[in-house]
Amino acid sequence: MPKPRSLIIALAAASLVTGQETTSVKLPSGDNVKTRPLVRDVFGYSIEPIWVNAYTETPKASNLLASIASITGKPPPIRVGGNTADQTYQHATLPNGRDWDVVRGELSTVQQFNVTPAWYGAWADYFPPGTDLIYSLNFRANESDWANAVAQAEAVHAALGSKLKMFELGNEIDHFINKHWRGADWGVERYIDQFRNLTGQIVASDWYQEIPESQRPKFQAGVFADPPWVPDQHDEIDDFSIENLTTLATDRSRVGGLVEREQDKALIGSYAMHLYPQSTCDTARCPLAKRIPVRPQVAAADRAGAPLVMGETNSVSCSGRSGISDTFGAALWTVDYVLLGAALGLEKTYFHLGAQSEYSAFTPVGYELKNETLEGGIRPNWYSHYFVAKVVAGPTDTNVNYSIAALGGEANSSSLSGYAVYSGVAEKAKSHLKKLVFLDMGVWNGTEGLGNPSTLAVTDGTMFSEGARPNRTLNIATSWCAGSNAIVTRLLGPGTNAKSRVTVSGVSFDPESGDMLGEETTESVKVGKDGAVTITMRQAEAVLLEMEDATTCGETLPPTSDAASTNIYGNGVLALVFSMMGLLLLM
Ligand SMILES: *[C@@H]1O[C@H](CO)[C@@H](O)[C@H](O)[C@H]1NC(C)=O
Ligand SMILES: *[C@@H]1O[C@H](CO)[C@@H](O)[C@H](O)[C@H]1NC(C)=O
Ligand SMILES: *[C@@H]1O[C@H](CO)[C@@H](O)[C@H](O)[C@H]1NC(C)=O
Ligand SMILES: *[C@@H]1O[C@H](CO)[C@@H](O)[C@H](O)[C@H]1NC(C)=O
Ligand SMILES: *[C@@H]1O[C@H](CO)[C@@H](O)[C@H](O)[C@H]1NC(C)=O
Ligand SMILES: *[C@@H]1O[C@H](CO)[C@@H](O)[C@H](O)[C@H]1NC(C)=O
Ligand SMILES: *[C@@H]1O[C@H](CO)[C@@H](O)[C@H](O)[C@H]1NC(C)=O
Ligand SMILES: *[C@@H]1O[C@H](CO)[C@@H](O)[C@H](O)[C@H]1NC(C)=O
């Protein structure tokens, strides 16, 4: 690797000669900065219950997750949930003599996932120490007042103990009418009744009452797939939204929300929504809504006193789409999606994992798919996680969070996206610019790293961009002191179409073991007069700039919290245009 500073000088010189694109970026200042907390475990995973065994039978996932924890100080949060959560039935023993069994019907679709109480214990200690776990109970099975879910809650808590932070009641409950799991009257009002009944039973249980109060698992409420404005398989009522769930009776004529009763409010640790920006399950949802108003949902959760999370998501629904979900383009999209979500107030984002899904960031073992034999492996979007870990890492005091703001202007376009990370959020006077992230979202199809033995070869790129890969020079006006150094970390890939040879500043991961490989290359850039920073990045690349020490000179930037904004989400920052496949991933 060339020495960083000389590289930058060389690029700057080249850009002068060739007239390469130069972009000037201004940072917001003073009261214009709208930030939200950037928590260290902003990036998590949601594991489909039937795939938990596959993921926990090899050390790969544990090694990968531990590598994140070693950077951020906090392992990624894990939610065990998904469609098969509402197909999970607990039995004392199973006919196969094991602690789990998948019952499949026509076309191998899962009909039931049967487990014994011992199943939870089989994976309870798999995840790195300090991992927060969420477990989704079967809410569909309402026989005997949810006796199945009540038994699950006790058994999963017995196995996981204080690692179990929250339960969910069901998965994507707004699809329950469509799946014939609820009647035509299913909506917020019925949900609240049933939420109160099931949580009431769990909370009243002896085992729950015996847990010290501070360690009692809470509940992640909501868990909606498609908010009313998304053109999905519309159900009769379709009133599930965080706003409707949390309104006070005084705001509505018919009923109060979940926060109406103090005992319910105290039980709710967070609210969750799900989103797959590209949906291929059915034609009705393709193309999906392009403008998703997240801010009103965030504002509603803020008013209700609990954070909102993106509880299950990925690029393309119904297990993903090879050629999009498993490319470096999707990796850049993933970084943008998590950071924009955080800037808008989605505290955490959980990416869905299935051991045989085309969108999974990593897969544990090989399998047959669409007439190809795939190996277990690591896809480019794993590197998004490692890059985001570098973005959130820093605060050693666990009571302090960084905060994040999306940049506007030139760094808010379909080809360039930018974020500013500040240290401190509550103590405004001490807040200052700590890091900057830029993503070049232009499409550049390279000729290297086209295949990955864990993905379908039939979707490997066959169209290539011509000429030299373009690059752009960013001139950023920062509040950093002249003469100080900013450390540079890059998310690098051979092209938007690449499925392998992705690194974070030279670091890669062994696709078999999940062990980290290689040394991180060091690169830094010196801050010029008045905080000017100049850096060059190639098309389809992400770069993180981080101030080495926490001191600023001159003016400090006092971010303000943006708790109650009602702006519309859908600003085009996420408009990563996948011209390949002719699909738009818009949010
Ligand atoms: C209980 O579940 C059944 C089918 O799963 C459904 O038809 C019924 O509406 C549910 N009852 C209530 C009160 O939600
Ligand atoms: C749940 O509903 C049943 C009737 O369907 C009732 O008997 C029971 O008391 C309720 N439990 C709670 C905790 O609300
Ligand atoms: C809230 O519920 C009403 C029905 O009561 C529905 O018409 C509306 O679409 C819902 N609004 C949101 C934002 O979910
Ligand atoms: C797999 O191979 C069979 C038999 O050659 C063929 O009928 C089928 O269309 C192939 N499936 C895919 C997804 O290519
Ligand atoms: C930091 O974020 C965590 C959530 O991950 C929260 O519990 C904690 O209160 C936050 N700390 C501050 C100082 O805001
Ligand atoms: C980014 O641009 C969109 C319009 O395309 C706008 O709504 C949004 O507020 C902008 N974001 C910032 C941080 O300026
Ligand atoms: C940047 O782009 C220019 C023009 O295509 C080219 O001459 C130069 O080599 C590029 N630099 C890098 C590092 O790719
Ligand atoms: C990149 O490759 C995809 C196919 O993988 C193709 O659809 C797209 O047109 C190409 N785009 C460019 C800019 O080369």
Side-chain angles (χ1 to χ4, degrees), residues 146-159:
W146 295 277
N148 181 63
V150 170
Q152 282 185 294
E154 179 171 7
V156 70
H157 178 263

Side-chain angles (χ1 to χ4, degrees), residues 99-360:
D99 55 20
W100 61 286
D101 189 23
V102 179
V103 179
R104 291 184 186 271
E106 263 177 60
L107 300 171
S108 304
T109 51
V110 176
Q111 289 190 322
Q112 274 196 13
F113 180 48
N114 293 323
V115 302
T116 72
W119 178 69
Y120 312 101
W123 47 268
D125 297 322
Y126 176 82
F127 298 100
T131 300
D132 290 344
L133 292 162
I134 298 175
Y135 187 80
S136 190
L137 303 171
N138 181 344
F139 195 41
R140 166 210 188 170
N142 57 12
E143 297 84 5
S144 311
D145 297 328
W146 295 277
N148 181 63
V150 170
Q152 282 185 294
E154 179 171 7
V156 70
H157 178 263
L160 303 186
S162 60
K163 295 170 205 157
L164 178 68
K165 298 300 177 201
M166 285 187 284
F167 294 110
E168 285 182 339
L169 307 189
N171 177 67
E172 305 186 350
I173 57 164
D174 48 334
H175 287 175
F176 272 24
I177 297 178
N178 194 267
K179 289 174 169 172
H180 309 293
W181 295 349
R182 289 293 186 270
D185 63 344
W186 182 240
V188 164
E189 203 169 335
R190 288 274 80 74
Y191 171 73
I192 291 174
D193 290 346
Q194 299 191 2
F195 180 96
R196 287 177 176 159
N197 191 293
L198 178 50
T199 59
Q201 293 185 64
I202 292 170
V203 167
S205 304
D206 289 343
W207 64 266
Y208 191 93
Q209 288 299 319
E210 281 161 15
I211 308 168
E213 215 160 313
S214 65
Q215 289 173 28
R216 291 179 182 166
K218 293 193 169 190
F219 294 83
Q220 181 156 281
V223 197
F224 312 140
D226 298 303
W229 56 84
V230 174
D232 66 328
Q233 56 273 73
H234 274 282
D235 296 323
E236 288 78 350
I237 295 188
D238 214 9
D239 66 346
F240 284 116
S241 66
I242 307 300
E243 294 128 291
N244 278 350
L245 195 58
T246 57
T247 44
L248 295 170
T250 47
D251 302 335
R252 288 152 59 104
S253 50
R254 54 188 183 105
V255 71
L258 256 187
V259 293
E260 198 76 17
R261 295 197 330 187
E262 208 44 53
Q263 71 260 44
D264 297 324
K265 192 176 175 182
L267 279 181
I268 295 170
S270 49
Y271 293 90
M273 59 182 278
H274 295 177
L275 187 73
Y276 288 85
Q278 274 294 322
S279 204
T280 56
C281 304
D282 49 67
T283 46
R285 281 188 286 170
C286 192
L288 193 63
K290 295 189 172 105
R291 300 170 69 82
I292 305 295
V294 161
R295 283 190 191 273
Q297 310 293 305
V298 169
D302 283 340
R303 282 194 302 272
L308 177 64
V309 303
M310 185 63 83
E312 183 191 311
T313 192
N314 221 312
S315 49
V316 185
S317 70
C318 291
S319 295
R321 184 137 162 200
S322 184
I324 297 181
S325 307
D326 52 10
T327 64
F328 184 60
L332 293 169
W333 172 82
T334 298
V335 172
D336 200 30
Y337 186 73
V338 172
L339 298 182
L340 180 58
L344 290 173
L346 294 169
E347 189 194 52
K348 299 178 189 179
T349 297
Y350 295 79
F351 287 87
H352 204 49
L353 290 177
Q356 303 188 353
S357 296
E358 293 171 42
Y359 53 46
S360 297

